[in-house]
Each structure stands twice: as structure tokens, then as C-alpha cells.
Amino acid sequence: EGVLPQEYVLIKMEVIPPFPPQLKALEGKKVYLAAATLRPETMYGQTNCWVLPDGKYGAFEINDTDVFILTARSALNLAYQNLSKVPEKPTCLADISGNDLIGLPLKSPLAFNGIIYALPMMTILTDKGTGIVTSVPSDSPDDFMALQDLVTKPAMRAKFGVKDEWVLPFKVVPIINIPEFGDKSAEKVCLDLKIKSQNDKEKLAEAKRMTYLKGFTDGTMIVGEFKGRKVQEVKPLIKNKLLEEGTAVLYSE
Ligand code: A2H
């Protein structure tokens, strides 16, 4: 962890009822997978959610109605940020493994896709953010490659019980134009660098370096309420809109 705290936006990805057996203890509650992001302006392009199959998660009471699924570590931090039913004390209603989350249907704010699914990603760190990541393959090289892996590898889908209809047809949703990279910057850079898989760490770091800053400084929104405006300008506006409508909360660590 760095010296300065990192502030994330937690996107409330709502689990659509009826709940599967492993979530039955949560019946009647509003249950969300809480995904930590630094790019709230990209939420229009969400295609799925990522969980770590071997990851340990819990369902934590945030207030009288809402339950967040995330790591115990992040639940403890949230409890010290006014995001726990009992102040400074996380209350866990159920222990859940990443594998239990795979295939959950979700409704996520701003996403053009009405229903998206929780899918396995191997490179999620459990000591960063919430351990839940929302997937925007148009603008995130990690997300593009993880989805590409599932799409091109039937054995990987079989291993994790991923149904074909959760990943196929694979459609990147273009949301931001970067003059140098076009409307699907992550896809372009992954192809240009010939990245083979989500585990190609060095090349993915390079892809992220190439796209991350450019998306912010040179990107223009091509969809949504702020279409035609610079990413730099609308990022705080979209963040505040999500916070005000209650579909996201701030989280620092
Ligand atoms: B970002 P930083 Cl479109 N393990 O959100 C691995 N990755 C994680 C994570 C974890 N535990 N928690 C969050 N992340 C991802 C959107 C996005 C992101 C786009 C482009 C780039 C990008 C959609 N995924 O991140 O190490 C989340 O993915 C580029 C780094 O704290 C989060 O923002 O800087 C970002 O990594 C936080 O990474």
C-alpha cells in the first residue's frame, strides 16, 4: 500500500433475485457485489463482473436494507468509513467463495447491458479494493484479456462452470474515443502488443500505461448523457451522479 490513501468508487452491482441456494440467507435484502473502480466514467461499457474463484468473500450488512458482498478486509475498512450497520464492526451474514458467485445475474448502474454476469478472473488481488472488479473490456486491457480468455477457451469455461450464454456473443461496448487508439482502446492495444492471455503481466502493464493516461487526457465520451465531452471534464460529474442517485459509494484504503 502506498503512503497516500487511494479513493475508489464502489459500484453497487445488484444481485437480481431469486437468489441461488448459497445466498438463501440473504433473502429479502438488497444484495450487491461492490466493485472498486478508478474509472466511474466507463460504467456505460460494463459487460460483466469479475470475481476470484478461490477468493473468500462475505455478505456484510451495510445498513438496514443493503448487503455488500466483498472481502472481509474491505468490510473492516468500510466499517470505519460509516459503511456498516454496526459502526466500526462488520457483520457478516454469510461466507461465500468466489466460485459461489460465478454466474450470478447482476444489474449495474449506467450499463447498456441490462443483465450482466459474475465471471472468474485469475489476477484479482484480495488485498486491494473489495476483491470485486467490474469489467469494461473497451477500456481496460485486463478486462479485455480476461474476457478473451473465457471466450476463446471452452475448457476454461467448463472448469469454472461458465455457461456459453454468459460470455457469448462477446461484444465490446464502445464508450470513449481516444484519437490515437479509436473507440475500443483496450482491444486495439492488446492486439497491437500481441498479448496472449490475462496472465501476460508485463505486456498488460505496458498496455495499461499506454491507455490509462491517454483515456483521461485525450478521451471523449461517445455515449450517454455527456456524449461529445472530454473524459477529464465529465469524470467528476458521472462520479457525483452515481453517488447522488445512491448507486455508488466512496471507499478509501
Ligand atoms: B478499473 P489500482 Cl475501464 N485486483 O475499473 C485487480 N484489479 C483490481 C482490483 C483488484 N482487487 N480492484 C480494482 N481493480 C481494477 C475500470 C477500469 C479500471 C478501466 C480501465 C483501467 C482500470 C473497469 N475495470 O484500472 O491498482 C479496477 O479496474 C487500471 C489500473 O488501485 C480499478 O479501476 O490503480 C483498478 O484496477 C484499480 O487499480
Short mmCIF file of all heavy atoms in Angstrom, two decimals, residues 187-234:
data_model
loop_
_atom_site.label_atom_id
_atom_site.label_comp_id
_atom_site.label_asym_id
_atom_site.label_seq_id
_atom_site.Cartn_x
_atom_site.Cartn_y
_atom_site.Cartn_z
N GLU A 187 -8.91 -3.11 -26.62
CA GLU A 187 -8.82 -4.17 -27.63
C GLU A 187 -7.67 -3.87 -28.60
O GLU A 187 -6.85 -4.75 -28.89
CB GLU A 187 -10.14 -4.28 -28.40
CG GLU A 187 -10.10 -5.31 -29.51
CD GLU A 187 -11.43 -5.42 -30.22
OE1 GLU A 187 -11.68 -4.61 -31.14
OE2 GLU A 187 -12.22 -6.30 -29.86
N LYS A 188 -7.59 -2.63 -29.07
CA LYS A 188 -6.55 -2.27 -30.05
C LYS A 188 -5.15 -2.48 -29.47
O LYS A 188 -4.29 -3.08 -30.12
CB LYS A 188 -6.72 -0.82 -30.51
CG LYS A 188 -5.56 -0.36 -31.39
CD LYS A 188 -5.84 0.87 -32.19
CE LYS A 188 -4.60 1.41 -32.91
NZ LYS A 188 -3.77 0.40 -33.57
N VAL A 189 -4.95 -2.00 -28.26
CA VAL A 189 -3.61 -2.11 -27.67
C VAL A 189 -3.26 -3.58 -27.37
O VAL A 189 -2.13 -4.00 -27.59
CB VAL A 189 -3.50 -1.21 -26.42
CG1 VAL A 189 -2.22 -1.47 -25.67
CG2 VAL A 189 -3.58 0.26 -26.83
N CYS A 190 -4.23 -4.36 -26.92
CA CYS A 190 -3.96 -5.79 -26.67
C CYS A 190 -3.58 -6.51 -27.96
O CYS A 190 -2.69 -7.36 -27.97
CB CYS A 190 -5.18 -6.47 -26.04
SG CYS A 190 -5.44 -6.00 -24.32
N LEU A 191 -4.25 -6.16 -29.07
CA LEU A 191 -3.92 -6.79 -30.36
C LEU A 191 -2.56 -6.29 -30.85
O LEU A 191 -1.72 -7.09 -31.27
CB LEU A 191 -5.01 -6.50 -31.39
CG LEU A 191 -6.39 -7.12 -31.10
CD1 LEU A 191 -7.43 -6.68 -32.13
CD2 LEU A 191 -6.34 -8.64 -31.01
N ASP A 192 -2.32 -4.98 -30.78
CA ASP A 192 -1.04 -4.41 -31.23
C ASP A 192 0.14 -5.04 -30.48
O ASP A 192 1.17 -5.32 -31.08
CB ASP A 192 -1.01 -2.89 -31.01
CG ASP A 192 -1.87 -2.13 -32.02
OD1 ASP A 192 -2.42 -2.78 -32.93
OD2 ASP A 192 -2.00 -0.90 -31.88
N LEU A 193 -0.01 -5.23 -29.18
CA LEU A 193 1.09 -5.77 -28.37
C LEU A 193 1.11 -7.30 -28.40
O LEU A 193 1.94 -7.93 -27.75
CB LEU A 193 0.99 -5.28 -26.92
CG LEU A 193 1.16 -3.78 -26.66
CD1 LEU A 193 1.00 -3.47 -25.17
CD2 LEU A 193 2.52 -3.29 -27.14
N LYS A 194 0.15 -7.90 -29.12
CA LYS A 194 0.03 -9.36 -29.23
C LYS A 194 -0.01 -10.03 -27.86
O LYS A 194 0.71 -11.02 -27.58
CB LYS A 194 1.20 -9.93 -30.05
CG LYS A 194 1.26 -9.38 -31.48
CD LYS A 194 2.27 -10.15 -32.31
CE LYS A 194 2.12 -9.89 -33.79
NZ LYS A 194 2.38 -8.46 -34.16
N ILE A 195 -0.85 -9.51 -27.00
CA ILE A 195 -0.99 -10.08 -25.66
C ILE A 195 -1.75 -11.40 -25.76
O ILE A 195 -2.77 -11.48 -26.44
CB ILE A 195 -1.70 -9.07 -24.72
CG1 ILE A 195 -0.89 -7.77 -24.68
CG2 ILE A 195 -1.87 -9.67 -23.33
CD1 ILE A 195 -1.48 -6.67 -23.80
N LYS A 196 -1.22 -12.44 -25.09
CA LYS A 196 -1.76 -13.78 -25.26
C LYS A 196 -2.88 -14.12 -24.28
O LYS A 196 -3.79 -14.86 -24.60
CB LYS A 196 -0.63 -14.83 -25.11
CG LYS A 196 0.44 -14.75 -26.18
CD LYS A 196 -0.04 -15.37 -27.48
CE LYS A 196 1.05 -15.42 -28.55
NZ LYS A 196 1.66 -14.12 -28.85
N SER A 197 -2.74 -13.64 -23.03
CA SER A 197 -3.74 -14.02 -22.03
C SER A 197 -3.74 -13.01 -20.88
O SER A 197 -2.90 -12.12 -20.84
CB SER A 197 -3.45 -15.41 -21.46
OG SER A 197 -2.50 -15.31 -20.41
N GLN A 198 -4.67 -13.20 -19.97
CA GLN A 198 -4.75 -12.31 -18.79
C GLN A 198 -3.53 -12.43 -17.89
O GLN A 198 -3.30 -11.57 -17.05
CB GLN A 198 -6.02 -12.59 -18.00
CG GLN A 198 -6.08 -13.96 -17.37
CD GLN A 198 -7.47 -14.24 -16.77
OE1 GLN A 198 -7.86 -13.66 -15.78
NE2 GLN A 198 -8.21 -15.14 -17.40
N ASN A 199 -2.74 -13.50 -18.08
CA ASN A 199 -1.55 -13.70 -17.23
C ASN A 199 -0.29 -13.08 -17.80
O ASN A 199 0.77 -13.17 -17.18
CB ASN A 199 -1.33 -15.19 -16.99
CG ASN A 199 -2.50 -15.82 -16.26
OD1 ASN A 199 -2.98 -15.27 -15.27
ND2 ASN A 199 -3.00 -16.94 -16.77
N ASP A 200 -0.39 -12.44 -18.96
CA ASP A 200 0.75 -11.82 -19.63
C ASP A 200 1.05 -10.48 -18.94
O ASP A 200 0.84 -9.40 -19.50
CB ASP A 200 0.39 -11.62 -21.11
CG ASP A 200 1.58 -11.57 -22.02
OD1 ASP A 200 2.70 -11.31 -21.52
OD2 ASP A 200 1.40 -11.76 -23.24
N LYS A 201 1.58 -10.57 -17.72
CA LYS A 201 1.67 -9.42 -16.81
C LYS A 201 2.43 -8.22 -17.36
O LYS A 201 1.97 -7.09 -17.27
CB LYS A 201 2.36 -9.85 -15.49
CG LYS A 201 1.43 -10.55 -14.53
CD LYS A 201 1.83 -10.28 -13.07
CE LYS A 201 0.78 -10.77 -12.10
NZ LYS A 201 0.92 -12.20 -11.77
N GLU A 202 3.63 -8.49 -17.94
CA GLU A 202 4.46 -7.37 -18.39
C GLU A 202 3.81 -6.60 -19.51
O GLU A 202 3.76 -5.37 -19.51
CB GLU A 202 5.84 -7.87 -18.82
CG GLU A 202 6.78 -8.00 -17.64
CD GLU A 202 8.06 -8.74 -17.98
OE1 GLU A 202 8.53 -8.60 -19.13
OE2 GLU A 202 8.56 -9.46 -17.10
N LYS A 203 3.30 -7.34 -20.50
CA LYS A 203 2.66 -6.66 -21.63
C LYS A 203 1.38 -5.95 -21.20
O LYS A 203 1.05 -4.88 -21.71
CB LYS A 203 2.37 -7.67 -22.75
CG LYS A 203 3.59 -8.03 -23.55
CD LYS A 203 3.19 -8.84 -24.76
CE LYS A 203 4.41 -9.19 -25.61
NZ LYS A 203 4.01 -10.02 -26.76
N LEU A 204 0.66 -6.55 -20.26
CA LEU A 204 -0.57 -5.88 -19.78
C LEU A 204 -0.24 -4.60 -19.03
O LEU A 204 -0.96 -3.60 -19.15
CB LEU A 204 -1.40 -6.83 -18.92
CG LEU A 204 -2.33 -7.74 -19.72
CD1 LEU A 204 -2.91 -8.85 -18.85
CD2 LEU A 204 -3.45 -6.93 -20.37
N ALA A 205 0.87 -4.61 -18.29
CA ALA A 205 1.29 -3.39 -17.60
C ALA A 205 1.59 -2.31 -18.63
O ALA A 205 1.21 -1.13 -18.47
CB ALA A 205 2.51 -3.67 -16.73
N GLU A 206 2.25 -2.70 -19.72
CA GLU A 206 2.57 -1.77 -20.80
C GLU A 206 1.27 -1.25 -21.46
O GLU A 206 1.12 -0.06 -21.70
CB GLU A 206 3.46 -2.48 -21.84
CG GLU A 206 3.74 -1.72 -23.12
CD GLU A 206 4.56 -0.45 -22.90
OE1 GLU A 206 5.04 -0.25 -21.77
OE2 GLU A 206 4.67 0.36 -23.85
N ALA A 207 0.33 -2.16 -21.71
CA ALA A 207 -0.95 -1.77 -22.32
C ALA A 207 -1.68 -0.76 -21.43
O ALA A 207 -2.28 0.20 -21.91
CB ALA A 207 -1.82 -3.01 -22.54
N LYS A 208 -1.62 -0.99 -20.12
CA LYS A 208 -2.29 -0.08 -19.19
C LYS A 208 -1.61 1.28 -19.19
O LYS A 208 -2.27 2.31 -19.19
CB LYS A 208 -2.32 -0.68 -17.77
CG LYS A 208 -3.44 -1.71 -17.63
CD LYS A 208 -3.53 -2.25 -16.21
CE LYS A 208 -2.64 -3.46 -16.04
NZ LYS A 208 -2.76 -4.08 -14.71
N ARG A 209 -0.26 1.26 -19.20
CA ARG A 209 0.48 2.54 -19.28
C ARG A 209 0.06 3.32 -20.52
O ARG A 209 -0.15 4.52 -20.48
CB ARG A 209 1.99 2.28 -19.35
CG ARG A 209 2.69 2.28 -18.00
CD ARG A 209 4.22 2.39 -18.15
NE ARG A 209 4.82 1.28 -18.86
CZ ARG A 209 5.11 0.10 -18.32
NH1 ARG A 209 4.85 -0.12 -17.04
NH2 ARG A 209 5.64 -0.87 -19.03
N MET A 210 -0.05 2.59 -21.65
CA MET A 210 -0.37 3.26 -22.92
C MET A 210 -1.77 3.87 -22.93
O MET A 210 -1.97 4.93 -23.51
CB MET A 210 -0.24 2.27 -24.08
CG MET A 210 1.21 1.90 -24.41
SD MET A 210 1.32 0.49 -25.55
CE MET A 210 0.71 1.23 -27.06
N THR A 211 -2.75 3.19 -22.31
CA THR A 211 -4.14 3.64 -22.44
C THR A 211 -4.65 4.48 -21.27
O THR A 211 -5.51 5.32 -21.46
CB THR A 211 -5.10 2.44 -22.61
OG1 THR A 211 -4.86 1.51 -21.54
CG2 THR A 211 -4.90 1.76 -23.94
N TYR A 212 -4.13 4.22 -20.08
CA TYR A 212 -4.75 4.80 -18.89
C TYR A 212 -4.73 6.33 -18.89
O TYR A 212 -5.76 6.98 -18.79
CB TYR A 212 -4.07 4.25 -17.63
CG TYR A 212 -4.81 4.59 -16.35
CD1 TYR A 212 -6.06 4.01 -16.10
CD2 TYR A 212 -4.29 5.48 -15.42
CE1 TYR A 212 -6.76 4.31 -14.94
CE2 TYR A 212 -4.99 5.78 -14.27
CZ TYR A 212 -6.22 5.20 -14.02
OH TYR A 212 -6.91 5.50 -12.89
N LEU A 213 -3.55 6.90 -19.05
CA LEU A 213 -3.42 8.36 -19.01
C LEU A 213 -4.08 9.00 -20.23
O LEU A 213 -4.79 10.00 -20.12
CB LEU A 213 -1.95 8.75 -18.90
CG LEU A 213 -1.71 10.21 -18.52
CD1 LEU A 213 -2.27 10.49 -17.13
CD2 LEU A 213 -0.23 10.54 -18.58
N LYS A 214 -3.87 8.37 -21.40
CA LYS A 214 -4.45 8.91 -22.65
C LYS A 214 -5.96 8.95 -22.58
O LYS A 214 -6.59 9.89 -23.07
CB LYS A 214 -4.02 8.05 -23.84
CG LYS A 214 -2.58 8.26 -24.26
CD LYS A 214 -2.47 9.08 -25.53
CE LYS A 214 -1.07 9.67 -25.70
NZ LYS A 214 -0.04 8.63 -25.85
N GLY A 215 -6.57 7.92 -21.97
CA GLY A 215 -8.02 7.89 -21.84
C GLY A 215 -8.51 9.11 -21.08
O GLY A 215 -9.52 9.72 -21.42
N PHE A 216 -7.74 9.47 -20.07
CA PHE A 216 -8.12 10.62 -19.24
C PHE A 216 -7.85 11.94 -19.95
O PHE A 216 -8.70 12.82 -20.00
CB PHE A 216 -7.36 10.55 -17.91
CG PHE A 216 -7.76 11.64 -16.95
CD1 PHE A 216 -9.03 11.66 -16.38
CD2 PHE A 216 -6.87 12.64 -16.62
CE1 PHE A 216 -9.40 12.67 -15.49
CE2 PHE A 216 -7.24 13.66 -15.73
CZ PHE A 216 -8.50 13.67 -15.17
N THR A 217 -6.64 12.08 -20.53
CA THR A 217 -6.26 13.39 -21.09
C THR A 217 -6.84 13.63 -22.48
O THR A 217 -7.22 14.75 -22.80
CB THR A 217 -4.73 13.52 -21.19
OG1 THR A 217 -4.22 12.43 -21.98
CG2 THR A 217 -4.07 13.50 -19.82
N ASP A 218 -6.95 12.57 -23.32
CA ASP A 218 -7.36 12.75 -24.72
C ASP A 218 -8.73 12.15 -25.04
O ASP A 218 -9.20 12.26 -26.16
CB ASP A 218 -6.34 12.10 -25.67
CG ASP A 218 -4.93 12.66 -25.50
OD1 ASP A 218 -4.77 13.63 -24.75
OD2 ASP A 218 -4.00 12.11 -26.11
N GLY A 219 -9.34 11.43 -24.06
CA GLY A 219 -10.58 10.72 -24.36
C GLY A 219 -11.79 11.63 -24.45
O GLY A 219 -11.88 12.63 -23.75
N THR A 220 -12.72 11.24 -25.33
CA THR A 220 -14.01 11.91 -25.46
C THR A 220 -15.12 10.87 -25.32
O THR A 220 -15.03 9.80 -25.93
CB THR A 220 -14.14 12.59 -26.84
OG1 THR A 220 -13.08 13.53 -27.00
CG2 THR A 220 -15.47 13.31 -26.99
N MET A 221 -16.16 11.19 -24.55
CA MET A 221 -17.30 10.28 -24.41
C MET A 221 -18.03 10.20 -25.74
O MET A 221 -18.28 11.22 -26.39
CB MET A 221 -18.29 10.80 -23.34
CG MET A 221 -17.73 11.00 -21.96
SD MET A 221 -17.02 9.54 -21.18
CE MET A 221 -18.42 8.41 -21.19
N ILE A 222 -18.38 8.99 -26.18
CA ILE A 222 -19.15 8.86 -27.42
C ILE A 222 -20.55 8.31 -27.15
O ILE A 222 -21.30 8.04 -28.08
CB ILE A 222 -18.41 7.99 -28.47
CG1 ILE A 222 -18.08 6.60 -27.91
CG2 ILE A 222 -17.15 8.70 -28.96
CD1 ILE A 222 -17.55 5.64 -28.97
N VAL A 223 -20.90 8.15 -25.87
CA VAL A 223 -22.24 7.69 -25.50
C VAL A 223 -22.71 8.43 -24.24
O VAL A 223 -21.92 9.09 -23.57
CB VAL A 223 -22.25 6.17 -25.16
CG1 VAL A 223 -21.88 5.33 -26.36
CG2 VAL A 223 -21.32 5.87 -23.98
N GLY A 224 -23.99 8.24 -23.94
CA GLY A 224 -24.53 8.69 -22.66
C GLY A 224 -24.85 10.16 -22.59
O GLY A 224 -24.72 10.91 -23.57
N GLU A 225 -25.22 10.57 -21.39
CA GLU A 225 -25.66 11.93 -21.10
C GLU A 225 -24.60 12.97 -21.46
O GLU A 225 -24.92 14.11 -21.76
CB GLU A 225 -25.95 11.97 -19.59
CG GLU A 225 -26.56 13.24 -19.09
CD GLU A 225 -26.74 13.20 -17.56
OE1 GLU A 225 -26.68 12.10 -16.95
OE2 GLU A 225 -26.93 14.27 -16.99
N PHE A 226 -23.31 12.59 -21.40
CA PHE A 226 -22.23 13.55 -21.60
C PHE A 226 -21.50 13.33 -22.92
O PHE A 226 -20.35 13.75 -23.09
CB PHE A 226 -21.27 13.50 -20.42
CG PHE A 226 -21.94 13.74 -19.09
CD1 PHE A 226 -22.26 12.67 -18.26
CD2 PHE A 226 -22.30 15.03 -18.71
CE1 PHE A 226 -22.89 12.90 -17.04
CE2 PHE A 226 -22.94 15.26 -17.50
CZ PHE A 226 -23.24 14.19 -16.66
N LYS A 227 -22.19 12.67 -23.85
CA LYS A 227 -21.65 12.40 -25.18
C LYS A 227 -21.04 13.66 -25.80
O LYS A 227 -21.63 14.73 -25.75
CB LYS A 227 -22.81 11.91 -26.06
CG LYS A 227 -22.45 11.46 -27.43
CD LYS A 227 -23.69 10.89 -28.11
CE LYS A 227 -23.40 10.70 -29.59
NZ LYS A 227 -24.52 9.99 -30.24
N GLY A 228 -19.83 13.52 -26.39
CA GLY A 228 -19.19 14.66 -27.05
C GLY A 228 -18.27 15.46 -26.13
O GLY A 228 -17.51 16.30 -26.61
N ARG A 229 -18.33 15.18 -24.83
CA ARG A 229 -17.49 15.95 -23.89
C ARG A 229 -16.25 15.15 -23.46
O ARG A 229 -16.22 13.94 -23.52
CB ARG A 229 -18.32 16.39 -22.69
CG ARG A 229 -19.42 17.37 -23.11
CD ARG A 229 -20.30 17.76 -21.96
NE ARG A 229 -19.59 18.53 -20.93
CZ ARG A 229 -20.18 18.94 -19.80
NH1 ARG A 229 -21.46 18.67 -19.56
NH2 ARG A 229 -19.48 19.62 -18.91
N LYS A 230 -15.23 15.88 -23.04
CA LYS A 230 -13.96 15.26 -22.65
C LYS A 230 -14.10 14.44 -21.37
O LYS A 230 -14.77 14.86 -20.42
CB LYS A 230 -12.90 16.35 -22.42
CG LYS A 230 -12.65 17.27 -23.60
CD LYS A 230 -11.87 16.62 -24.70
CE LYS A 230 -10.38 16.60 -24.36
NZ LYS A 230 -9.60 16.05 -25.50
N VAL A 231 -13.43 13.30 -21.33
CA VAL A 231 -13.45 12.42 -20.16
C VAL A 231 -13.03 13.19 -18.90
O VAL A 231 -13.67 13.11 -17.85
CB VAL A 231 -12.51 11.21 -20.37
CG1 VAL A 231 -12.26 10.46 -19.07
CG2 VAL A 231 -13.10 10.28 -21.43
N GLN A 232 -11.96 13.96 -19.06
CA GLN A 232 -11.41 14.77 -17.97
C GLN A 232 -12.47 15.62 -17.28
O GLN A 232 -12.48 15.75 -16.06
CB GLN A 232 -10.39 15.72 -18.61
CG GLN A 232 -9.14 15.87 -17.87
CD GLN A 232 -8.10 16.56 -18.76
OE1 GLN A 232 -8.21 16.64 -19.98
NE2 GLN A 232 -7.07 17.05 -18.14
N GLU A 233 -13.34 16.18 -18.12
CA GLU A 233 -14.38 17.10 -17.67
C GLU A 233 -15.55 16.36 -17.01
O GLU A 233 -16.09 16.82 -16.02
CB GLU A 233 -14.91 17.75 -18.94
CG GLU A 233 -15.21 19.19 -18.97
CD GLU A 233 -15.61 19.51 -20.40
OE1 GLU A 233 -14.69 19.73 -21.24
OE2 GLU A 233 -16.83 19.51 -20.68
N VAL A 234 -15.93 15.23 -17.58
CA VAL A 234 -17.16 14.57 -17.14
C VAL A 234 -16.94 13.52 -16.06
O VAL A 234 -17.88 13.11 -15.39
CB VAL A 234 -17.94 13.95 -18.32
CG1 VAL A 234 -18.22 15.00 -19.37
CG2 VAL A 234 -17.23 12.76 -18.91
#
